[in-house]
Amino acid sequence: DVLFSSVAGAGWSQLLLVQGLQQDTLAQNVAAYWQTAGKTTQAWDFSPALDWQWPQLGQVRSYALHSSTDLLHSSAQLALDLVQNGQRPVALITQDRHISRQMRAVLAKQGLRIRDETGWKLSTTHAAGTIFSVLQAALAPHSSAAQLAWLKAALGPAHAALLALEGYIYKEKTLASLDKPATAAAQKIAALCAELLPSITQLAQLLSGRQRLDDWQQRLYSALQLHGLAAQLEADDAGSACLQALEAPSSNSRSLSLVQFAAWVRDVLESGNYLPTQPADCDIVFLPLAQMLGRDFAAVLLPGADSERLPLYQPKLTVFSPAQLALLGLPDAQAQAATLQQAWLQAACNPTLHALWAQVEDGQERSA
């Protein structure tokens, strides 16, 4: 590993290891290695271990809501009230991604300035949905719904020819009869849709057969150029990030089918993260609980502080046995629980920690 190479140690004489919420085996091994090699190494704790009697703990307020809908509405209203009362910035802990995404939409609509430090997978962006719609149209050439989905993404739902095509499909239930328009009505619709029908055929020709990955990458970009989809994606931050991830060079030289290529696209976008441009000054900061270490906020908001989302002990955390975890240098359930408790206490060092949870979700009772 490069961290243990002579090149890595050539330009320095002292290593300072700052410990976070839990011990990092790799960092400890690197420090031990270079100490043996004659370097000076020191280990510092970023923060002392906290307990419930820590004098700097702030006020913790708990809110028991009836349902998940109440949880969302109450959390959003509380965040808005805190900001309007001058308690900003507010840290909003993203313990539940579903709640967090809904909260972000609600608070942004209220005009609050938001900084999201969690990001989200490229596959969940609108741009990825556009790319998937093109692939799905190629995978299902006889599906009227699949063809309309990608054409709407490219042209917009109000496009005149697209409306004509959609109206004809609604009446005839299929695209197939447009291939050989026998009636005057079909001929008229075919004429209105003259710019769309060739592109459906062109898409099927571009994304067909078996190709090498680099050929598929070029073919996908050419397919996205139909009706200007590539230009739309390049003008969008998330779209540009998706295209860059999909255009990255690969050593894969195998011949792939369209189904295999579509699976590759999904895997690439699933593994990539998108973080939008962040405002310098903000009202709300979305961040994970573990990133509260060393941060100061006017208030902390934690929606979903229940036993399911915030378990202090997970005995079945992994398939590895305690001995295997120790051999691999991975934390066991007790260590994970201790880390989570320290993260909670770090968040509680802010002036006020508001913990909200729903008593009933999906028909099941929850506990705090």
Side-chain angles (χ1 to χ4, degrees):
D1 193 289
V2 66
L3 297 174
F4 299 91
S5 69
S6 57
V7 175
W12 58 274
S13 59
Q14 180 170 317
L15 175 64
L16 177 61
L17 176 61
V18 182
Q19 302 284 1
L21 291 175
Q22 64 183 17
Q23 302 294 318
D24 182 74
T25 304
L26 174 60
Q28 291 177 324
N29 288 342
V30 169
Y33 174 84
W34 287 111
Q35 187 172 27
T36 304
K39 303 286 189 179
T40 301
T41 62
Q42 297 184 55
W44 290 358
D45 288 326
F46 187 91
S47 171
L50 307 181
D51 57 37
W52 297 106
Q53 283 71 46
W54 187 254
Q56 295 179 359
L57 292 182
Q59 184 179 20
V60 178
R61 296 180 180 176
S62 178
Y63 306 78
L65 289 312
H66 176 68
S67 65
S68 55
T69 301
D70 295 334
L71 174 62
L72 174 63
H73 292 166
S74 297
S75 299
Q77 186 60 54
L78 180 55
L80 190 61
D81 292 342
L82 290 170
V83 171
Q84 290 178 344
N85 291 333
Q87 299 182 55
R88 55 179 300 275
V90 174
L92 196 148
I93 306 301
T94 55
Q95 197 63 31
D96 184 286
R97 292 189 65 85
H98 179 66
I99 294 177
S100 300
R101 293 191 67 174
Q102 290 181 307
M103 289 274 295
R104 195 183 195 286
V106 172
L107 296 177
K109 190 174 181 180
Q110 295 295 325
L112 269 62
R113 292 165 294 180
I114 296 172
R115 183 166 73 240
D116 190 337
E117 298 184 2
T118 60
W120 49 86
K121 291 184 179 297
L122 287 174
S123 59
T124 64
T125 62
H126 178 73
T130 298
I131 295 171
F132 290 142
S133 71
V134 173
L135 290 170
Q136 187 59 38
L139 285 166
H142 301 298
S143 169
S144 301
Q147 304 306 321
L148 288 174
W150 82 271
L151 288 172
K152 285 182 179 180
L155 303 174
H159 191 275
L162 182 56
L163 288 173
L165 179 60
E166 188 172 17
Y168 181 81
I169 292 173
Y170 178 77
K171 180 180 178 181
E172 301 294 333
K173 310 299 183 187
T174 179
L175 276 169
S177 59
L178 281 176
D179 293 336
K180 297 178 180 179
T183 66
Q187 292 175 357
K188 182 178 179 180
I189 294 295
L192 286 172
C193 304
E195 65 179 282
L196 302 184
L197 298 180
S199 67
I200 294 175
T201 302
Q202 188 178 358
L203 178 69
Q205 292 172 343
L206 277 170
L207 301 180
S208 63
R210 297 185 67 88
Q211 311 291 336
R212 285 165 33 116
L213 181 57
D214 53 352
D215 291 331
W216 275 125
Q217 289 172 307
Q218 181 56 50
R219 283 170 176 257
L220 176 60
Y221 187 80
S222 297
L224 292 171
Q225 287 180 310
L226 297 175
H227 303 296
L229 265 181
Q232 293 178 31
L233 291 170
E234 288 169 345
D236 174 68
D237 287 344
S240 179
C242 288
L243 291 178
Q244 289 178 16
L246 294 174
E247 292 168 359
S250 173
S251 59
N252 188 340
S253 59
R254 294 186 299 113
S255 177
L256 304 176
S257 67
L258 176 58
V259 172
Q260 291 171 319
F261 174 64
W264 176 86
V265 169
R266 189 172 298 277
D267 288 343
V268 169
L269 298 183
E270 277 286 334
S271 62
N273 289 320
Y274 169 64
L275 193 64
T277 303
Q278 307 289 356
D281 186 34
C282 61
D283 301 310
I284 304 285
V285 180
F286 284 70
L287 76 168
L289 182 61
Q291 291 184 15
M292 290 293 300
L293 185 62
R295 309 286 292 273
D296 293 321
F297 295 94
V300 179
L301 195 60
L302 204 165
D306 56 65
S307 57
E308 294 293 323
R309 297 185 181 92
L310 199 66
L312 289 181
Y313 184 72
Q314 294 176 295
K316 296 182 180 179
L317 186 67
T318 175
V319 297
F320 293 121
S321 68
Q324 290 170 326
L325 290 172
L327 183 63
L328 294 170
L330 298 174
D332 57 17
Q334 290 83 357
Q336 289 279 28
T339 298
L340 182 57
Q341 178 174 298
Q342 287 298 306
W344 173 272
L345 291 170
Q346 288 287 340
C349 284
N350 288 273
T352 309
L353 171 60
H354 302 270
L356 302 92
W357 58 285
Q359 295 173 309
V360 179
E361 285 195 57
D362 299 326
Q364 297 182 347
E365 293 186 359
R366 297 283 177 88
S367 58

